[in-house]
mmCIF file of all heavy atoms in Angstrom:
data_model
loop_
_atom_site.group_PDB
_atom_site.id
_atom_site.type_symbol
_atom_site.label_atom_id
_atom_site.label_comp_id
_atom_site.label_asym_id
_atom_site.label_seq_id
_atom_site.Cartn_x
_atom_site.Cartn_y
_atom_site.Cartn_z
ATOM 1 N N PHE J 1 9.531 -7.603 11.147
ATOM 2 C CA PHE J 1 8.604 -8.476 11.859
ATOM 3 C C PHE J 1 9.275 -9.300 12.957
ATOM 4 O O PHE J 1 8.674 -9.566 13.987
ATOM 5 C CB PHE J 1 7.920 -9.425 10.875
ATOM 6 C CG PHE J 1 6.807 -8.785 10.100
ATOM 7 C CD1 PHE J 1 6.835 -8.731 8.722
ATOM 8 C CD2 PHE J 1 5.723 -8.226 10.753
ATOM 9 C CE1 PHE J 1 5.804 -8.145 8.005
ATOM 10 C CE2 PHE J 1 4.679 -7.635 10.050
ATOM 11 C CZ PHE J 1 4.730 -7.592 8.666
ATOM 12 N N GLU J 2 10.509 -9.731 12.733
ATOM 13 C CA GLU J 2 11.162 -10.626 13.690
ATOM 14 C C GLU J 2 12.038 -9.822 14.641
ATOM 15 O O GLU J 2 12.971 -9.139 14.222
ATOM 16 C CB GLU J 2 12.003 -11.669 12.948
ATOM 17 C CG GLU J 2 11.183 -12.570 12.043
ATOM 18 C CD GLU J 2 12.020 -13.631 11.358
ATOM 19 O OE1 GLU J 2 13.077 -13.998 11.903
ATOM 20 O OE2 GLU J 2 11.625 -14.098 10.284
ATOM 21 N N GLU J 3 11.758 -9.926 15.917
ATOM 22 C CA GLU J 3 12.468 -9.147 16.924
ATOM 23 C C GLU J 3 13.971 -9.440 16.920
ATOM 24 O O GLU J 3 14.797 -8.539 17.074
ATOM 25 C CB GLU J 3 11.880 -9.442 18.307
ATOM 26 C CG GLU J 3 12.538 -8.655 19.429
ATOM 27 C CD GLU J 3 11.930 -8.966 20.778
ATOM 28 O OE1 GLU J 3 10.905 -9.692 20.820
ATOM 29 O OE2 GLU J 3 12.475 -8.500 21.798
ATOM 30 N N ASN J 4 14.332 -10.707 16.757
ATOM 31 C CA ASN J 4 15.739 -11.102 16.861
ATOM 32 C C ASN J 4 16.447 -11.214 15.509
ATOM 33 O O ASN J 4 17.597 -11.635 15.445
ATOM 34 C CB ASN J 4 15.843 -12.443 17.590
ATOM 35 C CG ASN J 4 15.314 -12.363 19.013
ATOM 36 O OD1 ASN J 4 15.748 -11.528 19.791
ATOM 37 N ND2 ASN J 4 14.344 -13.205 19.335
ATOM 38 N N ASP J 5 15.759 -10.863 14.447
ATOM 39 C CA ASP J 5 16.343 -10.998 13.118
ATOM 40 C C ASP J 5 16.740 -9.637 12.582
ATOM 41 O O ASP J 5 15.935 -8.708 12.561
ATOM 42 C CB ASP J 5 15.337 -11.652 12.168
ATOM 43 C CG ASP J 5 15.874 -11.747 10.741
ATOM 44 O OD1 ASP J 5 17.070 -12.036 10.596
ATOM 45 O OD2 ASP J 5 15.097 -11.529 9.802
ATOM 46 N N ALA J 6 17.985 -9.504 12.138
ATOM 47 C CA ALA J 6 18.471 -8.237 11.589
ATOM 48 C C ALA J 6 18.825 -8.381 10.114
ATOM 49 O O ALA J 6 19.507 -7.532 9.548
ATOM 50 C CB ALA J 6 19.694 -7.762 12.381
ATOM 51 N N GLN J 7 18.366 -9.477 9.469
ATOM 52 C CA GLN J 7 18.750 -9.748 8.087
ATOM 53 C C GLN J 7 17.652 -9.459 7.072
ATOM 54 O O GLN J 7 17.923 -9.379 5.871
ATOM 55 C CB GLN J 7 19.139 -11.230 7.936
ATOM 56 C CG GLN J 7 20.305 -11.668 8.778
ATOM 57 C CD GLN J 7 20.631 -13.127 8.525
ATOM 58 O OE1 GLN J 7 21.136 -13.495 7.465
ATOM 59 N NE2 GLN J 7 20.330 -13.972 9.490
ATOM 60 N N ASN J 8 16.395 -9.298 7.524
ATOM 61 C CA ASN J 8 15.284 -9.223 6.583
ATOM 62 C C ASN J 8 14.313 -8.094 6.920
ATOM 63 O O ASN J 8 14.063 -7.797 8.092
ATOM 64 C CB ASN J 8 14.513 -10.548 6.580
ATOM 65 C CG ASN J 8 15.380 -11.723 6.164
ATOM 66 O OD1 ASN J 8 15.632 -11.915 4.981
ATOM 67 N ND2 ASN J 8 15.833 -12.507 7.133
ATOM 68 N N LEU J 9 13.761 -7.496 5.863
ATOM 69 C CA LEU J 9 12.736 -6.475 5.995
ATOM 70 C C LEU J 9 11.603 -6.777 5.018
ATOM 71 O O LEU J 9 11.798 -7.491 4.030
ATOM 72 C CB LEU J 9 13.302 -5.082 5.682
ATOM 73 C CG LEU J 9 14.386 -4.533 6.611
ATOM 74 C CD1 LEU J 9 14.958 -3.238 6.037
ATOM 75 C CD2 LEU J 9 13.843 -4.297 8.016
ATOM 76 N N VAL J 10 10.435 -6.212 5.295
ATOM 77 C CA VAL J 10 9.283 -6.320 4.407
ATOM 78 C C VAL J 10 8.860 -4.905 4.025
ATOM 79 O O VAL J 10 8.901 -3.988 4.856
ATOM 80 C CB VAL J 10 8.121 -7.056 5.102
ATOM 81 C CG1 VAL J 10 6.821 -6.893 4.323
ATOM 82 C CG2 VAL J 10 8.458 -8.537 5.251
ATOM 83 N N VAL J 11 8.471 -4.709 2.774
ATOM 84 C CA VAL J 11 7.997 -3.409 2.312
ATOM 85 C C VAL J 11 6.532 -3.540 1.907
ATOM 86 O O VAL J 11 6.170 -4.440 1.146
ATOM 87 C CB VAL J 11 8.839 -2.899 1.117
ATOM 88 C CG1 VAL J 11 8.307 -1.552 0.633
ATOM 89 C CG2 VAL J 11 10.311 -2.774 1.516
ATOM 90 N N TYR J 12 5.704 -2.642 2.404
ATOM 91 C CA TYR J 12 4.258 -2.739 2.205
ATOM 92 C C TYR J 12 3.711 -1.433 1.634
ATOM 93 O O TYR J 12 4.022 -0.342 2.122
ATOM 94 C CB TYR J 12 3.592 -3.058 3.542
ATOM 95 C CG TYR J 12 2.077 -3.109 3.514
ATOM 96 C CD1 TYR J 12 1.397 -3.915 2.603
ATOM 97 C CD2 TYR J 12 1.326 -2.366 4.426
ATOM 98 C CE1 TYR J 12 0.017 -3.972 2.588
ATOM 99 C CE2 TYR J 12 -0.061 -2.427 4.427
ATOM 100 C CZ TYR J 12 -0.710 -3.223 3.505
ATOM 101 O OH TYR J 12 -2.086 -3.276 3.492
ATOM 102 N N LEU J 13 2.912 -1.547 0.589
ATOM 103 C CA LEU J 13 2.230 -0.406 -0.026
ATOM 104 C C LEU J 13 0.727 -0.551 0.220
ATOM 105 O O LEU J 13 0.052 -1.291 -0.501
ATOM 106 C CB LEU J 13 2.499 -0.366 -1.531
ATOM 107 C CG LEU J 13 3.937 -0.097 -1.985
ATOM 108 C CD1 LEU J 13 4.051 -0.308 -3.489
ATOM 109 C CD2 LEU J 13 4.368 1.308 -1.619
ATOM 110 N N PRO J 14 0.180 0.110 1.249
ATOM 111 C CA PRO J 14 -1.247 -0.068 1.565
ATOM 112 C C PRO J 14 -2.173 0.333 0.422
ATOM 113 O O PRO J 14 -3.124 -0.381 0.107
ATOM 114 C CB PRO J 14 -1.441 0.850 2.785
ATOM 115 C CG PRO J 14 -0.078 1.059 3.344
ATOM 116 C CD PRO J 14 0.867 1.009 2.189
ATOM 117 N N LYS J 15 -1.900 1.476 -0.214
ATOM 118 C CA LYS J 15 -2.780 1.973 -1.270
ATOM 119 C C LYS J 15 -2.801 1.023 -2.462
ATOM 120 O O LYS J 15 -3.858 0.750 -3.040
ATOM 121 C CB LYS J 15 -2.322 3.362 -1.714
ATOM 122 C CG LYS J 15 -3.219 3.995 -2.763
ATOM 123 C CD LYS J 15 -2.727 5.391 -3.136
ATOM 124 C CE LYS J 15 -3.598 6.016 -4.213
ATOM 125 N NZ LYS J 15 -3.109 7.372 -4.588
ATOM 126 N N GLN J 16 -1.639 0.510 -2.833
ATOM 127 C CA GLN J 16 -1.549 -0.418 -3.968
ATOM 128 C C GLN J 16 -1.834 -1.855 -3.572
ATOM 129 O O GLN J 16 -1.797 -2.752 -4.415
ATOM 130 C CB GLN J 16 -0.164 -0.331 -4.614
ATOM 131 C CG GLN J 16 0.119 0.959 -5.352
ATOM 132 C CD GLN J 16 0.685 2.045 -4.418
ATOM 133 O OE1 GLN J 16 0.598 1.938 -3.198
ATOM 134 N NE2 GLN J 16 1.257 3.090 -4.993
ATOM 135 N N GLU J 17 -2.059 -2.107 -2.282
ATOM 136 C CA GLU J 17 -2.347 -3.445 -1.759
ATOM 137 C C GLU J 17 -1.279 -4.444 -2.222
ATOM 138 O O GLU J 17 -1.576 -5.544 -2.670
ATOM 139 C CB GLU J 17 -3.742 -3.906 -2.203
ATOM 140 C CG GLU J 17 -4.867 -3.023 -1.692
ATOM 141 C CD GLU J 17 -6.232 -3.499 -2.152
ATOM 142 O OE1 GLU J 17 -6.527 -3.343 -3.350
ATOM 143 O OE2 GLU J 17 -6.995 -4.026 -1.317
ATOM 144 N N THR J 18 -0.028 -4.024 -2.078
ATOM 145 C CA THR J 18 1.103 -4.823 -2.552
ATOM 146 C C THR J 18 2.134 -4.953 -1.445
ATOM 147 O O THR J 18 2.413 -3.983 -0.726
ATOM 148 C CB THR J 18 1.751 -4.156 -3.786
ATOM 149 O OG1 THR J 18 0.778 -4.052 -4.823
ATOM 150 C CG2 THR J 18 2.922 -4.970 -4.294
ATOM 151 N N ILE J 19 2.707 -6.145 -1.310
ATOM 152 C CA ILE J 19 3.705 -6.387 -0.274
ATOM 153 C C ILE J 19 4.916 -7.095 -0.885
ATOM 154 O O ILE J 19 4.776 -8.030 -1.670
ATOM 155 C CB ILE J 19 3.106 -7.199 0.905
ATOM 156 C CG1 ILE J 19 4.088 -7.269 2.077
ATOM 157 C CG2 ILE J 19 2.641 -8.580 0.465
ATOM 158 C CD1 ILE J 19 3.435 -7.765 3.368
ATOM 159 N N PHE J 20 6.111 -6.613 -0.531
ATOM 160 C CA PHE J 20 7.364 -7.201 -0.991
ATOM 161 C C PHE J 20 7.987 -7.925 0.202
ATOM 162 O O PHE J 20 8.362 -7.291 1.185
ATOM 163 C CB PHE J 20 8.310 -6.111 -1.507
ATOM 164 C CG PHE J 20 7.713 -5.246 -2.578
ATOM 165 C CD1 PHE J 20 7.050 -4.060 -2.244
ATOM 166 C CD2 PHE J 20 7.801 -5.596 -3.913
ATOM 167 C CE1 PHE J 20 6.486 -3.252 -3.224
ATOM 168 C CE2 PHE J 20 7.239 -4.795 -4.906
ATOM 169 C CZ PHE J 20 6.583 -3.622 -4.554
ATOM 170 N N VAL J 21 8.071 -9.242 0.119
ATOM 171 C CA VAL J 21 8.431 -10.043 1.296
ATOM 172 C C VAL J 21 9.837 -10.635 1.237
ATOM 173 O O VAL J 21 10.248 -11.352 2.155
ATOM 174 C CB VAL J 21 7.403 -11.173 1.514
ATOM 175 C CG1 VAL J 21 6.047 -10.594 1.871
ATOM 176 C CG2 VAL J 21 7.302 -12.058 0.273
ATOM 177 N N GLY J 22 10.592 -10.370 0.174
ATOM 178 C CA GLY J 22 11.971 -10.830 0.106
ATOM 179 C C GLY J 22 12.121 -12.316 0.351
ATOM 180 O O GLY J 22 11.407 -13.141 -0.223
ATOM 181 N N ASN J 23 13.029 -12.679 1.254
ATOM 182 C CA ASN J 23 13.337 -14.089 1.519
ATOM 183 C C ASN J 23 12.377 -14.760 2.505
ATOM 184 O O ASN J 23 12.606 -15.907 2.892
ATOM 185 C CB ASN J 23 14.763 -14.227 2.055
ATOM 186 C CG ASN J 23 15.796 -14.090 0.951
ATOM 187 O OD1 ASN J 23 15.558 -14.459 -0.182
ATOM 188 N ND2 ASN J 23 16.951 -13.530 1.284
ATOM 189 N N TYR J 24 11.324 -14.070 2.901
ATOM 190 C CA TYR J 24 10.338 -14.731 3.767
ATOM 191 C C TYR J 24 9.528 -15.777 3.004
ATOM 192 O O TYR J 24 8.986 -16.702 3.599
ATOM 193 C CB TYR J 24 9.383 -13.708 4.395
ATOM 194 C CG TYR J 24 9.973 -12.992 5.576
ATOM 195 C CD1 TYR J 24 10.243 -11.628 5.539
ATOM 196 C CD2 TYR J 24 10.276 -13.685 6.745
ATOM 197 C CE1 TYR J 24 10.791 -10.979 6.626
ATOM 198 C CE2 TYR J 24 10.827 -13.046 7.841
ATOM 199 C CZ TYR J 24 11.081 -11.689 7.777
ATOM 200 O OH TYR J 24 11.633 -11.047 8.855
ATOM 201 N N VAL J 25 9.431 -15.621 1.696
ATOM 202 C CA VAL J 25 8.666 -16.561 0.884
ATOM 203 C C VAL J 25 9.549 -17.098 -0.229
ATOM 204 O O VAL J 25 10.225 -16.328 -0.920
ATOM 205 C CB VAL J 25 7.419 -15.881 0.280
ATOM 206 C CG1 VAL J 25 6.712 -16.814 -0.693
ATOM 207 C CG2 VAL J 25 6.461 -15.449 1.396
ATOM 208 N N SER J 26 9.571 -18.428 -0.392
ATOM 209 C CA SER J 26 10.342 -19.073 -1.444
ATOM 210 C C SER J 26 9.395 -19.855 -2.340
ATOM 211 O O SER J 26 8.614 -20.668 -1.859
ATOM 212 C CB SER J 26 11.384 -20.034 -0.850
ATOM 213 O OG SER J 26 12.376 -19.324 -0.132
ATOM 214 N N ASN J 27 9.481 -19.607 -3.636
ATOM 215 C CA ASN J 27 8.643 -20.318 -4.588
ATOM 216 C C ASN J 27 9.485 -21.218 -5.471
ATOM 217 O O ASN J 27 10.476 -20.773 -6.061
ATOM 218 C CB ASN J 27 7.870 -19.327 -5.462
ATOM 219 C CG ASN J 27 6.732 -18.675 -4.704
ATOM 220 O OD1 ASN J 27 5.945 -19.363 -4.059
ATOM 221 N ND2 ASN J 27 6.649 -17.368 -4.745
ATOM 222 N N ASN J 28 9.096 -22.480 -5.534
ATOM 223 C CA ASN J 28 9.765 -23.471 -6.374
ATOM 224 C C ASN J 28 11.242 -23.630 -6.020
ATOM 225 O O ASN J 28 12.075 -23.946 -6.859
ATOM 226 C CB ASN J 28 9.622 -23.102 -7.863
ATOM 227 C CG ASN J 28 9.661 -24.332 -8.748
ATOM 228 O OD1 ASN J 28 9.294 -25.423 -8.325
ATOM 229 N ND2 ASN J 28 10.105 -24.169 -9.975
ATOM 230 N N ARG J 29 11.578 -23.417 -4.762
ATOM 231 C CA ARG J 29 12.931 -23.647 -4.252
ATOM 232 C C ARG J 29 12.828 -23.855 -2.744
ATOM 233 O O ARG J 29 11.919 -23.337 -2.091
ATOM 234 C CB ARG J 29 13.858 -22.481 -4.577
ATOM 235 C CG ARG J 29 13.355 -21.136 -4.115
ATOM 236 C CD ARG J 29 14.174 -20.002 -4.693
ATOM 237 N NE ARG J 29 15.420 -19.801 -3.971
ATOM 238 C CZ ARG J 29 16.547 -19.435 -4.545
ATOM 239 N NH1 ARG J 29 16.607 -19.279 -5.851
ATOM 240 N NH2 ARG J 29 17.633 -19.239 -3.844
ATOM 241 N N VAL J 30 13.737 -24.612 -2.199
ATOM 242 C CA VAL J 30 13.716 -24.901 -0.761
ATOM 243 C C VAL J 30 14.138 -23.657 0.011
ATOM 244 O O VAL J 30 15.163 -23.052 -0.307
ATOM 245 C CB VAL J 30 14.649 -26.081 -0.433
ATOM 246 C CG1 VAL J 30 14.776 -26.261 1.071
ATOM 247 C CG2 VAL J 30 14.116 -27.362 -1.074
ATOM 248 N N PRO J 31 13.371 -23.241 1.021
ATOM 249 C CA PRO J 31 13.740 -22.070 1.812
ATOM 250 C C PRO J 31 15.024 -22.314 2.599
ATOM 251 O O PRO J 31 15.364 -23.459 2.912
ATOM 252 C CB PRO J 31 12.545 -21.901 2.765
ATOM 253 C CG PRO J 31 11.438 -22.692 2.165
ATOM 254 C CD PRO J 31 12.081 -23.824 1.427
ATOM 255 N N ALA J 32 15.729 -21.248 2.929
ATOM 256 C CA ALA J 32 16.981 -21.355 3.683
ATOM 257 C C ALA J 32 16.784 -20.795 5.085
ATOM 258 O O ALA J 32 16.631 -19.589 5.266
ATOM 259 C CB ALA J 32 18.104 -20.622 2.959
ATOM 260 N N LEU J 33 16.786 -21.667 6.075
ATOM 261 C CA LEU J 33 16.588 -21.250 7.463
ATOM 262 C C LEU J 33 17.762 -20.402 7.954
ATOM 263 O O LEU J 33 17.621 -19.595 8.874
ATOM 264 C CB LEU J 33 16.411 -22.484 8.349
ATOM 265 C CG LEU J 33 15.932 -22.277 9.787
ATOM 266 C CD1 LEU J 33 14.685 -21.404 9.836
ATOM 267 C CD2 LEU J 33 15.672 -23.625 10.443
ATOM 268 N N ALA J 34 18.931 -20.548 7.335
ATOM 269 C CA ALA J 34 20.103 -19.769 7.728
ATOM 270 C C ALA J 34 19.895 -18.272 7.529
ATOM 271 O O ALA J 34 20.580 -17.448 8.144
ATOM 272 C CB ALA J 34 21.333 -20.229 6.941
ATOM 273 N N GLN J 35 18.954 -17.912 6.671
ATOM 274 C CA GLN J 35 18.691 -16.503 6.393
ATOM 275 C C GLN J 35 17.736 -15.882 7.415
ATOM 276 O O GLN J 35 17.368 -14.711 7.287
ATOM 277 C CB GLN J 35 18.106 -16.358 4.991
ATOM 278 C CG GLN J 35 19.072 -16.773 3.883
ATOM 279 C CD GLN J 35 18.397 -16.874 2.520
ATOM 280 O OE1 GLN J 35 17.180 -16.793 2.402
ATOM 281 N NE2 GLN J 35 19.209 -17.066 1.482
ATOM 282 N N HIS J 36 17.362 -16.668 8.451
ATOM 283 C CA HIS J 36 16.430 -16.181 9.464
ATOM 284 C C HIS J 36 16.935 -16.563 10.849
ATOM 285 O O HIS J 36 17.682 -17.530 11.020
ATOM 286 C CB HIS J 36 15.042 -16.757 9.224
ATOM 287 C CG HIS J 36 14.493 -16.392 7.871
ATOM 288 N ND1 HIS J 36 13.711 -15.282 7.660
ATOM 289 C CD2 HIS J 36 14.652 -16.982 6.654
ATOM 290 C CE1 HIS J 36 13.402 -15.200 6.374
ATOM 291 N NE2 HIS J 36 13.953 -16.217 5.745
ATOM 292 N N HIS J 37 16.481 -15.811 11.848
ATOM 293 C CA HIS J 37 16.958 -16.060 13.205
ATOM 294 C C HIS J 37 16.443 -17.371 13.766
ATOM 295 O O HIS J 37 17.187 -18.113 14.413
ATOM 296 C CB HIS J 37 16.528 -14.906 14.119
ATOM 297 C CG HIS J 37 16.953 -15.086 15.545
ATOM 298 N ND1 HIS J 37 16.104 -15.603 16.506
ATOM 299 C CD2 HIS J 37 18.134 -14.852 16.159
ATOM 300 C CE1 HIS J 37 16.755 -15.664 17.663
ATOM 301 N NE2 HIS J 37 17.972 -15.217 17.486
ATOM 302 N N SER J 38 15.175 -17.681 13.527
ATOM 303 C CA SER J 38 14.619 -18.909 14.087
ATOM 304 C C SER J 38 13.449 -19.409 13.254
ATOM 305 O O SER J 38 12.789 -18.640 12.548
ATOM 306 C CB SER J 38 14.157 -18.694 15.533
ATOM 307 O OG SER J 38 12.919 -18.011 15.572
ATOM 308 N N LEU J 39 13.203 -20.696 13.353
ATOM 309 C CA LEU J 39 12.070 -21.320 12.683
ATOM 310 C C LEU J 39 10.757 -20.765 13.207
ATOM 311 O O LEU J 39 9.843 -20.440 12.446
ATOM 312 C CB LEU J 39 12.128 -22.836 12.897
ATOM 313 C CG LEU J 39 10.962 -23.671 12.359
ATOM 314 C CD1 LEU J 39 10.847 -23.535 10.853
ATOM 315 C CD2 LEU J 39 11.138 -25.140 12.751
ATOM 316 N N ALA J 40 10.655 -20.626 14.532
ATOM 317 C CA ALA J 40 9.412 -20.150 15.143
ATOM 318 C C ALA J 40 9.084 -18.734 14.703
ATOM 319 O O ALA J 40 7.937 -18.417 14.355
ATOM 320 C CB ALA J 40 9.525 -20.212 16.664
ATOM 321 N N GLU J 41 10.094 -17.860 14.710
ATOM 322 C CA GLU J 41 9.845 -16.471 14.308
ATOM 323 C C GLU J 41 9.471 -16.379 12.835
ATOM 324 O O GLU J 41 8.614 -15.581 12.434
ATOM 325 C CB GLU J 41 11.076 -15.605 14.592
ATOM 326 C CG GLU J 41 11.235 -15.216 16.042
ATOM 327 C CD GLU J 41 12.216 -14.083 16.241
ATOM 328 O OE1 GLU J 41 13.133 -13.911 15.398
ATOM 329 O OE2 GLU J 41 12.069 -13.364 17.238
ATOM 330 N N TRP J 42 10.116 -17.179 12.011
ATOM 331 C CA TRP J 42 9.808 -17.165 10.582
ATOM 332 C C TRP J 42 8.355 -17.596 10.345
ATOM 333 O O TRP J 42 7.609 -16.955 9.608
ATOM 334 C CB TRP J 42 10.768 -18.091 9.839
ATOM 335 C CG TRP J 42 10.702 -17.995 8.347
ATOM 336 C CD1 TRP J 42 9.829 -17.256 7.603
ATOM 337 C CD2 TRP J 42 11.550 -18.662 7.413
ATOM 338 N NE1 TRP J 42 10.083 -17.417 6.259
ATOM 339 C CE2 TRP J 42 11.129 -18.277 6.119
ATOM 340 C CE3 TRP J 42 12.614 -19.545 7.542
ATOM 341 C CZ2 TRP J 42 11.755 -18.755 4.965
ATOM 342 C CZ3 TRP J 42 13.242 -20.018 6.393
ATOM 343 C CH2 TRP J 42 12.814 -19.629 5.121
ATOM 344 N N MET J 43 7.940 -18.680 11.000
ATOM 345 C CA MET J 43 6.564 -19.140 10.835
ATOM 346 C C MET J 43 5.571 -18.107 11.370
ATOM 347 O O MET J 43 4.495 -17.894 10.804
ATOM 348 C CB MET J 43 6.383 -20.481 11.546
ATOM 349 C CG MET J 43 7.197 -21.609 10.921
ATOM 350 S SD MET J 43 7.024 -23.199 11.784
ATOM 351 C CE MET J 43 5.380 -23.673 11.279
ATOM 352 N N GLY J 44 5.940 -17.441 12.466
ATOM 353 C CA GLY J 44 5.085 -16.397 13.011
ATOM 354 C C GLY J 44 4.957 -15.215 12.063
ATOM 355 O O GLY J 44 3.879 -14.631 11.914
#
């Protein structure tokens, strides 16, 4: 998704309506901006 980011990928299964988002989403822990190229791209 992020043009300038080479650290993260997303995997999507359309038929199963399931998405694996890795470090794009953090639950019950503070997200780490260092794992992404920019704040703007991450929010986008």
